[in-house]
Amino acid sequence: MSAIGLVETRGLTPAIEALDSMAKAANIRLVDMKRVGSGLITVIIEGDVSDVSYAIEIGRLAPERTGGELISYCVIPRPHSELKKIL
């Protein structure tokens, strides 16, 4: 089973720290890093549901270590194929 996970931070450094922490914690793949605007960065990952869920739990704590700000996070288990096309 596959899942998509998203972590949104204010600033590039917290986003990179979150991605690094998630990649070290679980078997996930980076789909994209999107610059949303106003300094917001969204990191999008994919992998097995359990790996993505664990990675997001680790990644959402990372901005605190860099003095950054976590805006939001989300795990979408078994996303619809049309959703993957958008990302």
Side-chain angles (χ1 to χ4, degrees):
M1 297 204 162
S2 65
I4 292 175
L6 301 99
V7 172
E8 187 171 66
T9 65
R10 184 171 311 281
L12 181 61
T13 303
I16 291 173
E17 178 66 27
L19 176 59
D20 182 60
S21 298
M22 291 187 293
K24 289 176 180 175
N27 185 21
I28 51 101
R29 291 170 300 286
L30 174 65
V31 174
D32 202 359
M33 283 183 77
K34 297 193 182 276
R35 294 177 185 200
V36 181
S38 299
L40 299 180
I41 308 288
T42 302
V43 178
I44 305 168
I45 62 169
E46 69 177 354
D48 290 335
V49 175
S50 60
D51 286 329
V52 170
S53 295
Y54 183 67
I56 293 296
E57 287 301 313
I58 297 299
R60 72 183 186 90
L61 301 175
E64 293 176 12
R65 291 193 299 269
T66 60
E69 181 182 358
L70 175 70
I71 303 300
S72 65
Y73 62 94
C74 178
V75 175
I76 304 170
R78 298 181 318 277
H80 191 277
S81 60
E82 294 297 317
L83 179 62
K84 284 188 176 184
K85 291 178 185 178
I86 293 171
L87 300 175

